[in-house]
Amino acid sequence: MEQERSRVIQEFVPGKQVTLAHVIANPDAMLYTKLGIKEAGAIGILTLTPTETAIIAADIATKAASVELGFLDRFTGSLIVVGDVSAVEMAVEAVNEVLSQKLRFTPALVTKS
């Protein structure tokens, strides 16, 4: 009997927006291992469209606070920053603020877990 296959289509909505801005404070060490990034006090996750905005966001984040880049992908618009909790919060908020105020992006609610 043949198995049913699922088909996934990825679609981007045109526009300028921060679609996710989340801070994970004090994550389990296993998360760092699974992501293949250096352990720190917090992880900041951002997704952006257009996807190339991840490059601009990385520049804003690293200039706004003492964070390091954990991951950046200009093809998916994903950015992960790591550092202590307050620095990661500051970096994520700065990205949201600069993109919305200077480049007229729609910001995301900054969430935290």
Side-chain angles (χ1 to χ4, degrees), residues 44-98:
I45 306 163
L46 293 143
T47 55
L48 310 117
T49 55
T51 60
E52 296 84 358
T53 307
I55 300 165
I56 299 167
D59 180 59
I60 295 166
T62 56
K63 288 178 178 173
S66 182
V67 294
E68 292 186 27
L69 299 180
F71 178 77
L72 180 139
D73 187 352
R74 66 185 175 100
F75 298 108
T76 63
S78 300
L79 174 65
I80 294 177
V81 295
V82 295
D84 65 42
V85 177
S86 61
V88 170
E89 285 178 354
M90 187 182 304
V92 169
E93 288 170 4
V95 169
N96 221 10
E97 185 177 323
V98 171

Side-chain angles (χ1 to χ4, degrees), residues 8-12 75-76:
V8 176
I9 299 172
Q10 186 171 6
E11 188 175 321
F12 290 102
F75 298 108
T76 63

